[in-house]
Amino acid sequence: TIIGGSIGEVFYQNASKLNSEQLPIENLVKDLIFKLCLLIVPPFIILFFYAPMIFEMFFGQKWVEAGVYAQLLCPWIAVNFLASPLSRVFIVKKQQAMAFKYGLIYNSIILLNLIFFGFLY
């Protein structure tokens, strides 16, 4: 959250400046998405597939269930890490209606993840 929030603040500042100068922000957004993916994909893959084993190795057998919960929360954390800084695009572009639709989709993804993994486990 701290890293994503800090990245979002810098992105908002740069995007606002470009937008006020009536310059496109698409390249800035693409660059941000690429960098965020580089940051989140390695820990996501490791936690998504190995969290219970990692928790057991570092904390002991009693923590395996916590590793399962970390594994279940991993998709939400990854999506949140990507979405949080990018949500500022709507503020920069003054598109509150689109932000509302984005919020609905974002929350639906969280709900679908919870339902999917609830049935899976």
Side-chain angles (χ1 to χ4, degrees):
T1 302
I2 293 169
I3 293 170
S6 298
I7 291 170
E9 288 297 320
V10 173
F11 170 75
Y12 179 70
Q13 180 184 23
N14 292 337
S16 294
K17 183 179 178 189
L18 287 175
N19 192 56
S20 68
E21 295 171 359
Q22 297 183 347
L23 296 171
I25 65 169
E26 287 81 13
N27 289 335
L28 185 66
V29 171
K30 289 177 186 176
D31 187 49
L32 177 64
I33 292 170
F34 179 75
K35 289 177 181 175
L36 290 173
C37 285
L38 286 177
L39 286 172
I40 198 63
V41 168
F44 170 79
I45 290 171
I46 292 167
L47 285 176
F48 187 74
F49 291 107
Y50 303 109
M53 290 184 290
I54 292 169
F55 274 60
E56 181 180 15
M57 185 171 62
F58 286 101
F59 305 117
Q61 178 63 34
K62 292 182 179 181
W63 285 83
V64 171
E65 187 174 351
V68 171
Y69 284 112
Q71 193 174 34
L72 296 174
L73 290 171
C74 193
W76 175 75
I77 293 168
V79 169
N80 188 47
F81 184 77
L82 292 170
S84 182
L86 291 172
S87 66
R88 297 164 197 243
V89 169
F90 302 116
I91 298 168
V92 171
K93 292 292 186 176
K94 296 178 176 57
Q95 296 179 345
Q96 286 79 9
M98 185 63 114
F100 177 72
K101 291 174 188 173
Y102 165 80
L104 286 177
I105 292 169
Y106 174 75
N107 288 311
S108 297
I109 290 170
I110 293 170
L111 181 62
L112 291 173
N113 272 321
L114 290 173
I115 291 169
F116 173 74
F117 285 109
F119 284 118
L120 187 64
Y121 291 102

